[in-house]
Amino acid sequence: MKIRLSVGSCHLQDYCVMPFTTTAFMRILFLPSYLYDMKRALLLLFFSIKTCFAQTTVSPLTQGIWRAELQINDTLSLPFNFLSTSEGLEIMNGRERLPVNEYSLVGDTLVIRFPVFDAEVRCRYTADSLNGFFLNHARKTQNVVPFRAAAGQGFRFSDRPERPVTDISGRWQVIFDGEEGENRFAVAEFEQSGARVTGTVLTPTGDHRFLEGELAGSRLHLSAFDGSHLFLYEAELTSDSSLQGHFFSGRHYHDTWVAFRKADASLPDPDALAFLRPGYSSLDFSFADRNGKYWTPRDPSFVNKVLIVQLLGSWCPNCMDETAFLSDYYRMHRDRGVEIIGIAYERTTDSLRLWKNIDRFRNFHHVEYPLVYGGYANKDSAAKTLPMLNRVFAFPTTIILDRKGQVRRVHSGFNGPATGEAYKRETAELSSFIDRLLAE
């Protein structure tokens, strides 16, 4: 096989590439870890060539429950389950089901493209097994994760977990050792049935979505995978009834944590984490949408309307949850005088790629309000585009303006459906707040 390779400004014409066979794949796969960058480049090249002529098709996988593992490091894997059906796949995290129905197939290589996020699995497949890599294109480093899956395995961590020593259901105060300031504290909410544990961890910037796992003896294991984000919690229940352990976010982040039972555990006020600087009462910006139209808070379509300004990213899981709520809210209440504009801060500066990501995000959530590009996904950079704010503390951040264009609220983060009652309270309070502005 001959292809043309480009490296910087150099071009290698008709460069002869080794046959892209299963043997070649295995040789690349077992390169030593210190050749990580080389391995990653070769795997990307391998799969790019293997899928050049792929056609979208239905899933070739055996129907039923599957168990998958993502290799976090040399000794630790993040497990999750998915369901294979005649209509596609469903990623399973607690009570959440994420549909996946975009595939590319050529030879023995299967590409599974995840909805919303700029991420995919590329692997060798049989009807009952998958072996390959998860690739998160939204990250620049540590974005290739070994992946494998097997059909017919319905357990997550242990097939027969040890009997738990206690029931950890309830609310816990969490402290992350490596964080500072507001981000040091979080709240965990667990539900336990037998050895099975579900729940989430609420942080000042948002929640860690639907966690699922087990308490085996005194060892807690929880994981979540949403097609982009890899969350893994491990902990030991100690003699003083506290939880002490480790938290991993993909291959790029690790922290230690401790938690104590606390029924009234709480987080900082999300309306006080970011605010207007002294001397400002309104918001000002000018950002372009996909068609090149520039939008400002003074756009004619926003005049005499309550305006919700959403700072988001197509890569952001809590933004996904908030957008699902806001999209439904907008369809139901736009005729009452409510408008929304989303300002997307993306993890790429490539125009074609960032708009492709925003479009996937828009289409998945059926967003009918304008989405514009604000810049690169960095909180400090985002704050510079909105200098009237003291900072951008979280993605998402929701800024609400009254009919006169005055900022009435700056809300950091979002409690998604995984938080249960917290989600109901947050969405109900937001609706009530907007009702009061509409009545003024």
Side-chain angles (χ1 to χ4, degrees):
M1 183 177 192
K2 292 184 178 180
I3 61 171
R4 179 181 180 181
L5 293 180
S6 298
V7 181
S9 60
C10 301
H11 303 288
L12 305 179
Q13 301 284 352
D14 294 331
Y15 184 85
C16 186
V17 181
M18 66 178 171
F20 282 83
T21 62
T22 297
T23 300
F25 174 87
M26 297 305 293
R27 288 177 178 174
I28 297 171
L29 184 62
F30 288 106
L31 283 172
S33 58
Y34 65 83
L35 295 177
Y36 174 83
D37 290 338
M38 179 185 293
K39 181 193 293 188
R40 175 177 178 270
L42 289 171
L43 284 167
L44 288 173
L45 179 61
F46 177 92
F47 283 120
S48 296
I49 295 172
K50 285 282 284 184
T51 56
C52 280
F53 309 103
Q55 300 293 321
T56 302
T57 182
V58 297
S59 170
L61 304 180
T62 297
Q63 293 187 22
I65 192 74
W66 285 63
R67 180 178 185 270
E69 289 187 359
L70 293 158
Q71 194 75 31
I72 297 297
N73 56 40
D74 290 341
T75 61
L76 196 61
S77 293
L78 182 154
F80 69 95
N81 299 101
F82 65 86
L83 189 66
S84 176
T85 71
S86 59
E87 298 180 356
L89 307 180
E90 292 182 353
I91 299 175
M92 306 166 68
N93 296 293
R95 66 179 185 275
E96 181 185 49
R97 300 293 181 269
L98 291 172
V100 180
N101 52 26
E102 186 177 342
Y103 311 92
S104 297
L105 181 65
V106 60
D108 64 351
T109 298
L110 175 67
V111 179
I112 303 171
R113 178 76 176 175
F114 295 107
V116 187
F117 303 117
D118 190 9
E120 62 193 359
V121 162
R122 300 186 180 192
C123 54
R124 294 169 51 221
Y125 80 96
T126 68
D128 299 316
S129 67
L130 299 171
N131 282 279
F133 287 83
F134 165 73
L135 299 99
N136 186 347
H137 300 295
R139 293 198 56 80
K140 292 183 177 180
T141 61
Q142 299 293 321
N143 61 344
V144 179
V145 182
F147 167 88
R148 62 178 177 268
Q153 298 183 4
F155 65 94
R156 200 170 183 96
F157 284 91
S158 305
D159 190 12
R160 293 181 176 85
E162 183 182 349
R163 183 176 179 178
V165 297
T166 189
D167 190 316
I168 64 170
S169 299
R171 196 170 178 90
W172 295 67
Q173 182 74 66
V174 177
I175 302 172
F176 289 106
D177 297 325
E179 295 288 353
E180 297 179 352
E182 299 97 334
N183 287 317
R184 182 170 169 76
F185 298 96
V187 175
E189 292 188 339
F190 300 133
E191 294 181 10
Q192 184 175 336
S193 177
R196 183 173 184 263
V197 178
T198 58
T200 193
V201 175
L202 297 81
T203 77
T205 60
D207 62 90
H208 286 177
R209 299 186 58 74
F210 292 86
L211 297 169
E212 181 180 352
E214 66 187 25
L215 181 66
S218 60
R219 291 289 299 174
L220 176 66
H221 307 273
L222 294 167
S223 66
F225 174 67
D226 63 4
S228 178
H229 304 86
L230 290 66
F231 296 141
L232 179 66
Y233 280 88
E234 294 203 328
E236 179 77 26
L237 190 65
T238 65
S239 58
D240 65 357
S241 298
S242 66
L243 289 167
Q244 297 183 20
H246 299 265
F247 167 63
F248 297 86
S249 179
R251 296 173 68 94
H252 65 279
Y253 183 82
H254 165 252
D255 199 357
T256 54
W257 62 285
V258 62
F260 307 90
R261 283 188 183 273
K262 190 177 182 183
D264 61 349
S266 62
L267 295 172
D269 181 359
D271 291 346
L273 294 171
F275 47 83
L276 289 180
R277 295 181 184 275
Y280 290 95
S281 61
S282 60
L283 201 64
D284 190 27
F285 58 78
S286 180
F287 298 118
D289 64 17
R290 202 194 207 301
N291 299 316
K293 176 184 175 179
Y294 280 84
W295 292 80
T296 77
R298 299 174 300 281
D299 191 87
S301 59
F302 300 152
V303 172
N304 200 33
K305 304 286 182 66
V306 172
L307 177 62
I308 302 172
V309 180
Q310 180 193 20
L311 311 187
L312 62 95
S314 66
W315 48 269
C316 165
N318 300 125
C319 301
M320 180 174 73
D321 289 337
E322 185 187 53
T323 301
F325 167 74
L326 287 179
S327 292
D328 288 342
Y329 184 89
Y330 184 63
R331 281 189 286 272
M332 291 187 291
H333 298 283
R334 62 191 302 179
D335 293 339
R336 299 176 59 206
V338 177
E339 290 294 334
I340 305 176
I341 182 170
I343 304 176
Y345 295 86
E346 295 299 301
R347 286 183 169 173
T348 178
T349 56
D350 180 87
S351 179
L352 291 177
R353 192 173 200 104
L354 71 87
W355 281 114
K356 182 179 179 181
N357 293 343
I358 294 172
D359 287 345
R360 286 175 64 88
F361 187 85
R362 182 205 316 273
N363 294 337
F364 183 82
H365 294 296
H366 308 289
V367 177
E368 297 177 8
Y369 51 84
L371 294 178
V372 298
Y373 173 58
Y376 191 74
N378 175 281
K379 294 174 186 177
D380 291 338
S381 298
K384 290 178 181 178
T385 68
L386 298 168
M388 64 288 304
L389 295 178
N390 72 316
R391 61 176 174 174
V392 172
F393 179 76
F395 293 107
T397 291
T398 309
I399 307 167
I400 303 178
L401 287 66
D402 62 22
R403 293 183 186 273
K404 297 179 181 179
Q406 302 297 291
V407 172
R408 301 290 290 274
R409 187 181 206 181
V410 181
H411 185 90
S412 298
F414 186 76
N415 292 315
T419 66
E421 291 301 318
Y423 171 73
K424 294 177 182 178
R425 288 194 300 271
E426 178 151 343
T427 53
E429 202 283 326
L430 176 60
S431 299
S432 177
F433 183 81
I434 295 172
D435 285 343
R436 294 196 296 273
L437 294 185
L438 288 171
E440 292 181 352

